[in-house]
Amino acid sequence: MIYDIQRGSLLKRASAFLLDIILIAIIAVGFAALFSYIFHYDNYSKTYTDKLEQYSKQYNVNFDISAAQYNSFTASERVNWDRAYKALIEDGEAIRSYNVMVWMIVSFTSVSILLSYLLLEFVLPLILKNGQTVGKKVFGLGVMRSNGVRIQAVSLFIRTFLGKCIIETTIPALIVTMIFLNTIGLVGPVIIGIILIVNICFILFTRNRNMIHDYISDCVVVDLASQLIFDSEAELIEYKKKVAAEQSANSEY
């Protein structure tokens, strides 16, 4: 029937996603750089780096080593490295600088991603209508409710904030950051793997080929050139009544 869902092709959706994620990354990096400048991240980073260099030279050690390298040390080398590390963590200024750096990295990453998504995936689609981002606009795609009704601000916010921003981007990004800072164990990669596998399964094995953000907001990505979208459920119901009436009249002949 003519009100069936005209789903956007995977190629168009992937192309739109790639363009959007590049723009989001650029803007997020810009926000992070701005926050770093405002809150003087470089000052704390320099203080901590200077402390590392100080104790590295004093004890003739390298703090940037793996567990395997540490285990390969001789007994005397291990004792010397432990002394250097103990001196470092007992240095109040060094630890304060490190803790502030970690707090800033986590906070700036989270807020920068959030602002980027709100700007490009919420505010802009409200302006362009039909849930269109820059990528979707370029490739002729849109977003509507799965029942054929035009997406509204609440659904778009759930799709953007909870689905795309929190579940699919911020959580993996923070886990990667914590892995880099060596503050999380095996559970981090497992969580990222679960999110990735769920999205792949949704795309490959479900009828609408949606991702997590579409399922939790009850939305679907469609080809705007061929998709009929209704402004409200009342309009949809009236349309279905009209179609049903026309089919009933035609069946009499």
Side-chain angles (χ1 to χ4, degrees):
M1 299 177 68
I2 59 175
Y3 55 84
D4 283 348
I5 296 177
Q6 305 299 313
R7 301 173 188 85
S9 69
L10 287 179
L11 178 59
K12 283 186 176 181
R13 290 170 60 184
S15 301
F17 170 80
L18 181 60
L19 177 56
D20 286 335
I21 205 67
I22 289 173
L23 294 176
I24 287 172
I26 292 173
I27 293 178
V29 169
F31 276 126
L34 177 62
F35 293 144
S36 297
Y37 174 78
I38 293 174
F39 292 99
H40 309 293
Y41 173 85
D42 287 345
N43 291 345
Y44 295 101
S45 177
K46 184 178 185 306
T47 298
Y48 183 66
T49 301
D50 289 345
K51 290 294 183 179
L52 283 177
E53 185 176 354
Q54 173 188 333
Y55 291 111
S56 292
K57 289 181 178 179
Q58 181 177 340
Y59 291 89
N60 193 29
V61 300
N62 179 16
F63 287 110
D64 187 19
I65 62 172
S66 65
Q69 289 174 308
Y70 177 82
N71 292 331
S72 68
F73 285 168
T74 64
S76 60
E77 289 174 334
R78 190 173 300 178
V79 169
N80 186 53
W81 194 94
D82 289 344
R83 287 175 177 170
Y85 182 73
K86 185 174 184 294
L88 176 65
I89 63 175
E90 288 180 348
D91 188 315
E93 187 177 12
I95 295 304
R96 177 177 178 273
S97 297
Y98 177 79
N99 289 337
V100 172
M101 284 171 55
V102 172
W103 178 85
M104 284 186 174
I105 291 172
V106 173
S107 300
F108 295 169
T109 299
S110 303
V111 175
S112 297
I113 291 173
L114 172 61
L115 292 177
S116 300
Y117 268 101
L118 288 179
L119 178 62
L120 293 183
E121 297 271 352
F122 181 69
V123 175
L124 185 60
L126 287 178
I127 296 173
L128 296 179
K129 308 298 183 183
N130 295 321
Q132 284 193 303
T133 59
V134 173
K136 288 182 175 64
K137 184 71 173 179
V138 170
F139 292 96
L141 300 173
V143 179
M144 70 176 189
R145 298 291 302 278
S146 60
N147 61 1
V149 176
R150 196 176 310 279
I151 188 171
Q152 300 299 321
V154 173
S155 295
L156 183 59
F157 184 80
I158 292 172
R159 184 177 189 270
T160 299
F161 180 74
L162 181 58
K164 284 192 169 187
C165 182
I166 300 299
I167 298 176
E168 296 175 353
T169 304
T170 303
I171 291 176
L174 290 180
I175 289 174
V176 170
T177 300
M178 288 187 284
I179 291 174
F180 177 76
L181 295 173
N182 198 29
T183 58
I184 194 171
L186 182 61
V187 66
V190 170
I191 293 174
I192 293 178
I194 291 174
I195 294 173
L196 181 61
I197 291 172
V198 169
N199 260 335
I200 291 175
C201 289
F202 280 171
I203 293 173
L204 295 180
F205 304 116
T206 60
R207 183 170 62 88
N208 286 336
R209 302 188 183 281
N210 287 337
M211 297 177 70
I212 293 173
H213 55 264
D214 287 314
Y215 278 100
I216 65 176
S217 60
D218 190 29
C219 293
V220 60
V221 178
V222 295
D223 188 333
L224 283 183
S226 58
Q227 180 64 54
L228 181 60
I229 302 178
F230 300 93
D231 289 328
S232 65
E233 291 188 12
E235 183 179 325
L236 171 63
I237 292 172
E238 288 301 316
Y239 177 82
K240 288 184 176 181
K241 287 180 179 179
K242 178 182 177 181
V243 171
E246 291 175 352
Q247 290 178 339
S248 177
N250 292 333
S251 66
E252 294 178 359
Y253 301 98

